[in-house]
Amino acid sequence: MEHTMISKLFEPVTIGAWKLRTRTAMAPMTRCFADVQTGVVGEDVVEYYRRRAADGIGLIITEGIVISPRAKGNPGVPGLYTQEQINAWKKVTEAVHREGGTIIAQIWHVGRASHHEIAGNLPPQAPSAIRAEGKVSRFGKPFDIPEEMSIDDIKEVIGQYAQAAINAIEAGFDGVEVHGAHGYLIDQFNSDVSNHRTDRYGGDLAGRLTFMKEVLKEVINAVGANRTLIRFSALKIDHPDYMWEDPEEAIQTFIEAFKEVGMTMIHPSTMEFTKTIADGKTIHQLVRKYWDGVTVGVGDLNAETAEQAIAEGTIDIAAFGRPLLANPNFLHRVEKGEEIIPYDAKTHLKELI
C-alpha cells in the first residue's frame, strides 16, 4: 500500500509522562534470553531493544520482568529484584534513550502458571489452590498445584510490585506496565476460574478485582499514575477460549476499578483486534464506550487496521508484536511501503534480532 495513506500512526503524541515520537508501541513479548540462574539480561537484549527504538517505535514495553524469584514461570525470564538485574537493565534503557526512544518495564508475577523447580523450589502462589491446565512453556512439566495465598502473602506480593516499579525507575525505565492479563497472578485473582476465595479478595467480579486495585494503588504511589500502564484481558494462556459471561458488564466493572484507583492509561489485550465480543463491538470499542483515558490497542494489528482504529478514536496507541520480531525496522518498512517480512516461529522465537 502507499505509505502516504498511513499518517495517524506516525504522529507524535504525549501520553502521561511520555512524549512519544509515533503512536506506536512494541507489545510485550516473552523472550527468555536472560541468564537462567540470575535473571540478568546481556548485550544481546540491549541491542534487541535498541534496534526497535532506532526504528522510531513510540513506546517500547518490555517482555515480562518478574518481581521476585517466586514470580518466575519460565526458564530464562529476566528479573527486576536484585541490584545486578537493575544494573543490567540500565544498559538497555540507556541504549533506547540514546536512540530517542521511550521504554517501560512490564512487571510480572505468573502466580500458579509455574512449577516449584522454577519458582525457587517453592510451590507457585495463587488466590486459590487450583492447578492451571497444561504445561510450563519451555520447561515441559505440568503446572504445579499452587499454594493459596494468605493475607500476609498478598501484602508481601503487593509490596514486591511496588518495589519492582521503584527498581524500574532506578534502572532508567520511563515507567511500568503492570501485567494484569493472560491468566497470570493478577488475572488469576480477577477470574472466577482460578479465584474461589470467600474473603474480600473473592466473590463477584468487583470483589475479585480488589487485589489488582491494591497493586495499582501501590505502584501509582511509587512512580505516579502518569508512568503506570495496566494490561488486562479475558484471554488466558491455560484457557485460551475464555470469555467473560457478560463482556460489556465485565469491561464496565474493570473500567470502574481503574478510575477508582486513579489510572489514566490502559492496555486491553486480545489476540484478534477486530473480533466482536458483545453488541457487535470489539473489546477496544467496548472499552472506549466507558473509558475516555489513554487506550493502547493490540491484537495481531497491521498498519492499516491500526491507522483506522486511531483515526476513529478507538485507540490512542497501536501496539505491534510479531511484526516487530520479524522486522526490527518495521516502521521504516511501513513508511516506505516496503514488504513486511512474515513472522516465523521457528526462526524468530529462537533468535534476538
Side-chain angles (χ1 to χ4, degrees):
M1 77 179 293
E2 291 292 328
H3 71 270
T4 50
M5 293 171 65
I6 305 292
S7 59
K8 302 294 289 184
L9 206 58
F10 289 93
E11 286 179 353
V13 64
T14 298
I15 61 166
W18 310 319
K19 293 181 179 178
L20 308 182
R21 294 172 293 178
T22 58
R23 288 182 178 269
T24 61
M26 179 177 183
M29 292 172 283
T30 304
R31 301 312 314 273
C32 298
F33 282 94
D35 184 277
V36 173
Q37 251 59 56
T38 64
V40 170
V41 296
E43 292 298 329
D44 53 350
V45 175
V46 175
E47 179 62 9
Y48 167 72
Y49 286 114
R50 185 204 66 77
R51 291 185 72 184
R52 276 72 186 175
D55 186 44
I57 289 294
L59 179 67
I60 293 174
I61 309 171
T62 69
E63 61 209 283
I65 309 177
V66 295
I67 62 173
S68 74
R70 207 168 174 183
K72 186 177 177 180
N74 309 97
V77 295
L80 199 50
Y81 54 87
T82 72
Q83 195 61 50
E84 188 183 10
Q85 292 164 352
I86 293 167
N87 292 344
W89 280 114
K90 283 179 183 176
K91 295 180 181 178
V92 175
T93 59
E94 287 165 2
V96 168
H97 291 151
R98 277 196 300 271
E99 297 289 354
T102 301
I103 183 168
I104 64 174
Q106 189 192 63
I107 52 178
W108 189 29
H109 192 310
V110 305
R112 70 179 188 163
S114 190
H115 188 278
H116 69 273
E117 291 177 31
I118 295 175
N121 287 316
L122 293 167
Q125 296 176 296
S128 301
I130 304 167
R131 189 201 298 263
E133 295 178 22
K135 295 181 178 180
V136 179
S137 175
R138 304 175 197 247
F139 189 63
K141 296 186 180 183
F143 294 119
D144 267 345
I145 297 174
E147 181 177 81
E148 181 171 317
M149 294 170 70
S150 68
I151 297 299
D152 284 344
D153 292 333
I154 288 171
K155 287 178 181 174
E156 180 183 33
V157 170
I158 290 170
Q160 289 168 347
Y161 275 104
Q163 187 59 53
I166 292 165
N167 293 350
I169 300 301
E170 184 187 339
F173 286 104
D174 298 293
V176 296
E177 173 174 271
V178 176
H179 196 342
H182 302 169
Y184 298 114
L185 183 63
I186 291 174
D187 193 37
Q188 288 160 26
F189 272 91
N190 295 349
S191 172
D192 55 352
V193 173
S194 44
N195 183 351
H196 292 183
R197 298 177 75 100
T198 56
D199 62 6
R200 68 191 186 90
Y201 293 100
D204 63 6
L205 179 56
R208 297 194 305 269
L209 297 185
T210 300
F211 177 72
M212 180 186 74
K213 289 194 297 183
E214 291 184 358
V215 169
L216 291 174
K217 282 179 187 174
E218 290 305 309
V219 170
I220 287 171
N221 285 344
V223 302
N226 63 345
R227 295 187 184 277
T228 303
L229 186 63
I230 173 69
R231 194 175 215 206
F232 73 106
S233 69
L235 168 75
K236 302 171 194 328
I237 55 156
D238 58 324
H239 202 329
D241 298 323
Y242 179 87
M243 180 48 66
W244 302 298
E245 189 175 332
D246 184 333
E248 183 160 359
E249 184 181 16
I251 284 170
Q252 253 188 295
T253 306
F254 271 93
I255 297 300
E256 286 166 7
F258 297 143
K259 289 177 178 177
E260 183 185 332
V261 299
M263 289 297 299
T264 59
M265 302 181 288
I266 64 175
H267 185 181
S269 179
T270 176
M271 293 296 286
E272 298 176 72
F273 185 83
T274 57
K275 183 178 181 179
T276 57
I277 62 169
D279 192 28
K281 293 183 172 64
T282 66
I283 184 172
H284 292 87
Q285 288 169 338
L286 285 171
V287 164
R288 184 53 85 200
K289 185 174 175 181
Y290 299 100
W291 176 256
D292 57 7
V294 171
T295 303
V296 178
V298 74
D300 203 21
L301 283 169
N302 57 37
E304 296 89 339
T305 309
E307 177 78 9
Q308 183 180 353
I310 293 169
E312 290 172 352
T314 304
I315 61 174
D316 302 284
I317 307 292
F320 300 92
R322 290 173 176 179
L324 270 169
L325 292 188
N327 303 267
N329 61 343
F330 172 70
L331 284 188
H332 170 85
R333 288 174 179 270
V334 170
E335 191 173 23
K336 302 299 181 187
E338 296 176 4
E339 182 186 358
I340 304 299
I341 297 168
Y343 169 81
D344 173 17
K346 288 180 182 175
T347 301
H348 298 124
L349 272 181
K350 294 176 181 175
E351 296 179 11
L352 276 180
I353 61 171

